[in-house]
């Protein structure tokens, strides 16, 4: 079988696309294509026609013809099979068999033709393999892209951190310079250069002067410090210093005065955007802290919940008040309550928080923790978010991992949920689209971090969409299921796990009920799936 050319022509013989697999002049192929319509017999269903030199194997393609030009010794059955594959490729790449559509995808069609026939001989390839070759997807390229993005993110974070550090050091220098003007010149000299060398004269052995000192008694002057060095190698952060405009050198060289300590490195705190609460003269803050461990097969290994109620009063006229709390949930029977020493004993029957001495008032202008509670046990009703992770090893050395989450307590809204899944060493994930939120790689822990802005039964106050459940699927190299554990979860919740809230605030002196505000938050000390 020798295929000379594969072409797509109009019924008038005008060539739209033609690929020659053997060397031949352009005039020759144009002559063959022009004479093709004249050779088609009328009122026949044949798909081939022969001349003295070549054979045409053709197939109608709507208003066009797709044809192969072969030699007469070629196997007609193989030619027809090859022609059908060419036609399927054209139908797959083009939405319609029109001249404009064929011309627009000419480059892709020529590449596909070269994959089917090479130097006139048919390759052992099918349509799926041709599509795979044309897509040109590279797993190694994807890994390199992920690594590059991670490095860029790390560089940006490092740049921000060092910029903050420099800003703090500049402010410290300005404060010290304003308090001690003599430090301004030393701070100026320390910018970009090492400290100036200092000359120290040799200590005399006696007080008498000798007119002709012995050569051995002469000592060269001792210089401390190395001064400027030319041609020295740049430090590891030289590129970062260039981006900061050369100010980095000032932060790396110590000040010549030993009384000025180096500025501490700023600690970056994660900012969580919780709904704003307008504080009234009586403000109540309920905070709960959760630590739990879930088993990967299902069930609860350990759980500890701690909470406290803080009261802040800004108006002295409202210092003498008492708080009436709502009833905790039915699953909170094993709670242990502890009140402030100046507060009357708290019981779950009347649920009133008041001072023992009714003539006294709560402190004004500073918060006071009036009530604490604690629970430790294995009641699964205290689990706000259930996590299910399924690693499934494949036969090709990879592992398919499915992760699911579901909000168990619909009275709590979880903000900035981060699910961190460890990854096998040296492997990078390929995440299947269709998940909520976004994901990123943490190079410090080599883990996949799945971030969901809000998990709640209702949307956020700023219009943030919410879901009570979600899932993600990714594949990664590795076959050990234990490599994906422990899974760590973090979030900040709005609401109380035990359902405890302030129902009303009453003044002790006249029984009025003033306006009050309250905010209830739930934070995670530790949330593991082991």
């Amino acid at each position: 079988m020798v295929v000379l050319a594969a072409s797509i022509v109009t019924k008038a013989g005008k060539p739209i696309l033609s690929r020659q697999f053997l060397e031949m002049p352009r005039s020759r192929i144009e002559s063959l294509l022009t004479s093709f319509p004249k050779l088609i017999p009328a009122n026949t269903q044949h798909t081939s026609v022969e001349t003295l030199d070549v054979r045409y194997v053709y197939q109608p393609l709507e208003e066009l013809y797709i044809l192969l030009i072969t030699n007469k010794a070629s196997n007609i059955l193989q030619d027809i099979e090859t022609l059908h594959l060419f036609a399927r490729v054209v139908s797959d790449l083009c939405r319609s068999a029109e001249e404009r559509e064929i011309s627009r995808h000419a480059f892709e069609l020529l590449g596909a033709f070269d994959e089917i026939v090479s130097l006139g001989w048919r390759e052992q390839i099918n349509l799926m393999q041709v599509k795979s070759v044309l897509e040109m997807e590279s797993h190694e390229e994807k890994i390199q892209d992920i690594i590059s993005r991670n490095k860029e993110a790390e560089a940006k974070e490092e740049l921000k951190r060092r910029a903050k550090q420099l800003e703090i050091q500049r402010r410290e220098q300005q404060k010290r310079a304003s308090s001690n003007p003599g430090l301004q010149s030393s701070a100026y000299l320390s910018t970009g250069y090492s400290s100036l060398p200092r000359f120290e004269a040799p200590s005399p052995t006696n007080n008498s002067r000798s007119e002709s000192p012995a050569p051995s008694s002469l000592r060269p002057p001792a210089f401390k410090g190395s001064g400027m060095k030319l041609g020295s190698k740049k430090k590891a952060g030289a590129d970062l210093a260039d981006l900061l405009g050369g100010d980095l050198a000032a932060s790396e060289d110590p000040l010549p005065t030993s009384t000025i300590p180096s500025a501490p490195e700023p600690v970056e705190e994660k900012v969580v955007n919780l709904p704003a609460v307008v504080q009234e003269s009586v403000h109540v803050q309920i905070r709960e802290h959760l630590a739990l461990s879930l088993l990967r097969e299902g069930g609860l290994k350990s759980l500890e919940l701690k909470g406290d109620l803080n009261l802040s009063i800004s108006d002295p006229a409202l210092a003498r008040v008492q708080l009436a709390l709502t009833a905790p949930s039915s699953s909170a029977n094993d709670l242990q309550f502890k009140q402030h020493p100046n507060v009357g004993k708290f019981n779950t029957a009347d649920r009133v928080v008041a001072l023992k001495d009714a003539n006294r008032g709560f402190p004004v202008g500073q918060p006071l923790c009036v009530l604490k509670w604690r629970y430790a046990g294995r009641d699964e009703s205290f689990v706000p978010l259930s996590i299910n992770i399924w690693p499934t090893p494949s036969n090709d050395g990879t592992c398919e991992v499915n992760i699911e989450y579901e909000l168990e307590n619909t009275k709590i809204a979880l903000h900035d949920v981060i699910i961190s899944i460890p990854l096998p060493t040296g492997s990078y994930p390929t995440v299947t689209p269709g998940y909520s939120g976004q994901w990123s790689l943490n190079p410090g822990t080599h883990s996949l971090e799945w971030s969901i802005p809000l998990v709640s039964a209702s949307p956020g106050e700023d219009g943030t969409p919410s879901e009570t459940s979600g899932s993600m699927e990714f594949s990664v190299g590795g076959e050990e299921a234990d490599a994906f554990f422990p899974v760590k979860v973090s979030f900040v919740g709005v609401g109380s796990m035990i359902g405890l809230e302030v129902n009303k605030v009453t003044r002790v002196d006249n029984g009025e009920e003033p306006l009050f505000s309250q905010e209830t938050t739930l934070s995670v000390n530790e949330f593991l799936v082991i």
Side-chain angles (χ1 to χ4, degrees):
M1 172 185 177
V2 177
V3 179
L4 304 179
S7 307
I8 300 177
V9 299
T10 64
K11 291 188 175 182
K14 175 186 174 183
I16 301 174
L17 178 69
S18 181
R19 178 64 171 132
Q20 291 72 251
F21 301 107
L22 295 180
E23 186 175 356
M24 65 174 64
R26 178 172 180 173
S27 59
R28 170 64 173 163
I29 188 65
E30 290 180 348
S31 174
L32 293 174
L33 294 177
T34 304
S35 60
F36 164 70
K38 303 175 184 178
L39 300 175
I40 300 177
N43 300 325
T44 61
Q45 297 181 354
H46 295 291
T47 57
S48 64
V49 61
E50 294 183 0
T51 64
L52 296 177
D53 300 322
V54 297
R55 175 190 296 150
Y56 297 93
V57 182
Y58 61 93
Q59 176 180 334
L61 201 63
E62 295 184 5
E63 299 298 325
L64 306 175
Y65 280 111
I66 179 171
L67 61 95
L68 300 181
I69 303 177
T70 68
N71 57 10
K72 297 180 65 174
S74 179
N75 190 324
I76 185 64
L77 296 179
Q78 293 183 2
D79 292 342
I80 293 175
E81 181 183 355
T82 305
L83 178 65
H84 290 167
L85 181 57
F86 273 100
R88 292 174 61 191
V89 168
V90 174
S91 301
D92 186 76
L93 294 178
C94 302
R95 290 180 296 180
S96 61
E98 298 178 355
E99 182 175 351
R100 181 181 300 177
E101 187 74 10
I102 298 294
S103 300
R104 188 169 62 178
H105 295 85
F107 183 79
E108 292 84 355
L109 291 173
L110 291 175
F113 288 0
D114 286 342
E115 295 297 329
I116 299 174
V117 176
S118 176
L119 298 177
W121 297 93
R122 162 72 186 275
E123 297 289 345
Q124 297 299 324
I125 192 170
N126 54 33
L127 179 60
M128 295 302 297
Q129 292 172 334
V130 173
K131 292 174 61 177
S132 177
V133 172
L134 293 179
E135 289 174 357
M136 293 185 294
E137 289 190 356
S138 173
H139 184 66
E140 289 77 10
E141 182 181 1
K142 291 182 179 179
I143 293 176
Q144 291 301 321
D145 289 342
I146 294 174
I147 295 175
S148 299
R149 288 196 297 267
N150 290 339
K151 288 183 178 180
E152 291 177 2
E154 291 175 7
K156 290 179 181 179
E157 292 298 328
E158 179 69 11
L159 186 63
K160 293 179 182 178
R161 186 185 68 82
R162 299 302 292 270
K164 291 181 180 179
Q165 181 181 2
L166 287 176
E167 183 64 25
I168 293 176
Q169 289 181 351
R170 290 194 191 97
R171 292 178 181 175
E172 292 293 332
Q173 291 179 4
Q174 291 176 358
K175 290 180 181 178
R176 293 187 176 91
S178 60
S179 60
N180 189 357
L183 293 179
Q184 292 181 356
S185 59
S186 62
Y188 171 77
L189 293 175
S190 66
T191 305
Y193 299 95
S194 60
S195 58
L196 294 177
R198 184 177 57 186
F199 172 77
E200 291 184 357
S203 58
T205 57
N206 50 39
N207 296 329
S208 61
R209 296 179 60 184
S210 175
E211 296 180 358
S212 301
S216 60
S217 65
L218 294 177
R219 295 182 181 178
F223 291 89
K224 292 187 177 181
S226 59
M228 289 191 300
K229 294 182 179 180
L230 301 178
S232 59
K233 296 182 178 179
K234 289 187 178 181
K235 296 183 179 180
D239 295 337
L240 184 60
D242 294 338
L243 292 176
L244 294 176
D247 292 337
L248 187 59
S251 65
E252 292 178 350
D253 291 336
L255 292 174
T257 305
S258 60
T259 59
I260 301 178
S262 60
E265 181 177 334
V267 178
E268 297 183 0
E269 296 183 356
K270 180 180 178 182
V271 179
V272 180
N273 297 322
L274 295 180
V277 176
V278 179
Q279 295 189 7
E280 301 289 345
S281 299
V282 179
H283 180 67
V284 179
Q285 185 180 27
I286 299 176
R287 299 178 301 182
E288 292 182 338
H289 307 277
L290 182 65
L292 62 90
S293 295
L294 299 176
L295 300 175
R296 69 182 75 173
E297 296 85 2
L300 180 63
K301 181 180 180 181
S302 62
L303 184 145
E304 183 182 30
L305 178 68
K306 295 181 179 179
D308 54 69
L309 188 150
N310 294 267
L311 177 63
S312 300
I313 297 177
S314 58
D315 187 358
L318 302 177
R320 297 172 58 194
V321 294
Q322 65 180 12
L323 311 179
L325 307 184
T326 59
S329 60
S330 59
S331 59
N333 297 327
D334 296 332
L335 284 172
Q336 300 175 0
F337 289 93
K338 186 177 181 181
Q339 66 278 346
H340 190 275
N342 294 334
V343 175
K345 185 174 180 59
F346 180 83
N347 59 77
T348 56
D350 51 11
R351 304 179 299 279
V352 175
V353 177
L355 293 174
K356 293 180 180 178
D357 187 356
N359 296 322
R360 297 181 59 183
F362 288 101
V364 179
Q366 61 180 5
L368 177 66
C369 180
V370 296
L371 184 65
K372 293 183 178 181
W373 58 90
R374 178 181 179 272
Y375 170 80
R378 295 186 178 181
D379 189 351
E380 295 187 7
S381 62
F382 283 99
V383 178
L385 187 71
S386 61
I387 305 294
N388 191 7
I389 177 170
W390 284 87
T392 306
S394 304
N395 296 327
D396 56 355
T398 61
C399 194
E400 298 288 338
V401 183
N402 291 272
I403 317 152
E404 298 177 347
Y405 71 85
E406 185 174 0
L407 183 64
E408 299 294 340
N409 192 336
T410 56
K411 297 181 179 180
I412 298 179
L414 306 182
H415 295 257
D416 293 348
V417 181
I418 298 178
I419 304 175
S420 179
I421 306 99
L423 299 176
T425 304
S427 60
Y428 295 90
T430 301
V431 181
T432 304
Y435 55 90
S436 58
Q438 59 184 359
W439 69 276
S440 62
L441 285 179
N442 187 336
T445 58
H446 191 63
S447 58
L448 184 148
E449 292 189 349
W450 183 15
S451 304
I452 304 100
L454 179 62
V455 178
S456 173
S458 58
E461 295 182 358
D462 57 351
T464 304
S466 64
E467 297 179 353
T468 58
S469 62
S471 62
M472 171 186 280
E473 181 179 353
F474 67 89
S475 61
V476 66
E479 298 180 349
E480 293 294 333
D482 294 337
F484 304 98
F485 295 94
V487 176
K488 298 181 180 180
V489 183
S490 64
F491 56 79
V492 176
V494 176
S496 172
M497 284 296 302
I498 63 174
L500 188 66
E501 293 181 351
V502 176
N503 187 21
K504 66 178 179 177
V505 177
T506 307
R507 295 183 59 173
V508 178
D509 50 358
N510 55 17
E512 294 182 357
E513 296 182 3
L515 293 176
F516 70 94
S517 59
Q518 65 176 328
E519 56 178 328
T520 308
T521 58
L522 171 67
S523 60
V524 176
N525 293 338
E526 185 181 57
F527 193 139
L528 300 177
V529 180
I530 57 176

